[in-house]
Amino acid sequence: LASRREVPDLNYPHDFSEQSDLLSPEKELIAMLGSVVPDLQSNPPSWPMGHRFALSIRHDVDRPLTREDLDRHLNLEATLGCRSTWYFKSETFDNDLARIILHHGHEVAYHAELLSTGDDGFVDRLRRWLGHSPGMTFHGGMGSEGFRGKRSLKQCADLQVAYAELPIGRATRPVLWFGDNVRPLPVTALPVKWDVFPDQCREHAEWLIDSQGHVIVENHPDRFEESYCRFLQWLTTQHPVCLTIEEAVRHFYPNRS
């Protein structure tokens, strides 16, 4: 049941790896694949209720979130039956808007570029506010001067977040990163980056669907183009199970997220 499609070319236009502890994305990929549980591409995961693939929407709240932008996305997602995860930076977190997101059944989590701004205790504050450890994504992944590969994952593990994201690689579903940690860290697959590379999204999503994987559509709340709405509408016609990213991670690793 392995994917019949070729792995899409997901190269990013910028590579800052010489500024990091990595020698090259290729060497980092080799190192990553050596430190995660095998992805079992030849034995695709079983999603809830027999669905072929899972769909999650990822909102990176890089700039202050307005109620107008929040309502537009929540209304669209309610219409389509989608679930979303909202990743706040410490400086963009809004208690009232975060409560609205939770009230609608979505997820609130942490978005950080640790090596440039630091955590400054925000994970602990968000953990207390939520009542559980938040998930986390990087503000500035591959293609950003903040990208640091495994060292970023090490900082996520040190913060004891529920999950992080794989900085590079071709995983199609959540996997476990061991690194030097006693407790493995669940990491999610690379997102379908509609906000940055919209021309690659259809190909990337089709490969993930064919691989019975996890389609994570990345967007920013202040972007609400018609093409984005059409892309989500198309995805929902492919009969996914719609989950928050936390729910997808917990489906495979119920005792670790």
Side-chain angles (χ1 to χ4, degrees), residues 170-183:
R170 296 295 183 263
T172 62
R173 43 151 281 183
V175 294
L176 292 178
W177 181 73
F178 285 89
D180 299 325
N181 308 299
V182 174
R183 180 180 181 272

Side-chain angles (χ1 to χ4, degrees), residues 6 23-24 29 36 54 73 78 85 127-128 130-131 133 136 142 146 149 170 172 176 185 227 232 245 247 250 256:
E6 294 184 0
L23 296 179
S24 71
L29 173 58
V36 299
H73 286 279
T85 299
R127 182 182 289 115
R128 289 193 296 270
L130 290 168
S133 293
M136 179 175 163
M142 185 64 177
R170 296 295 183 263
T172 62
L176 292 178
L185 176 69
S227 57
L232 288 187
I245 295 175
E247 289 169 340
R250 194 168 60 237
R256 292 189 171 95

Side-chain angles (χ1 to χ4, degrees), residues 37-49:
V37 168
D39 192 36
L40 302 178
Q41 298 283 15
S42 61
N43 185 21
S46 175
W47 292 105
M49 298 175 285

Side-chain angles (χ1 to χ4, degrees), residues 138-168:
F138 304 122
H139 174 60
M142 185 64 177
S144 161
E145 60 183 347
F147 174 69
R148 296 296 185 273
K150 287 200 297 183
R151 191 143 56 91
S152 294
L153 286 182
K154 176 64 166 61
Q155 290 181 307
C156 293
D158 290 344
L159 289 169
Q160 298 182 4
V161 294
Y163 63 85
E165 63 174 317
L166 194 65
I168 188 171

Side-chain angles (χ1 to χ4, degrees), residues 44-75:
S46 175
W47 292 105
M49 298 175 285
H51 288 271
R52 287 182 59 211
F53 74 103
L55 171 63
S56 303
I57 299 174
R58 165 180 164 175
H59 296 290
D60 290 355
V61 188
D62 292 348
R63 294 163 288 279
L65 178 63
T66 68
R67 181 62 189 268
E68 179 183 5
D69 286 340
L70 174 61
D71 286 344
R72 287 194 299 178
H73 286 279
L74 291 179
N75 290 337

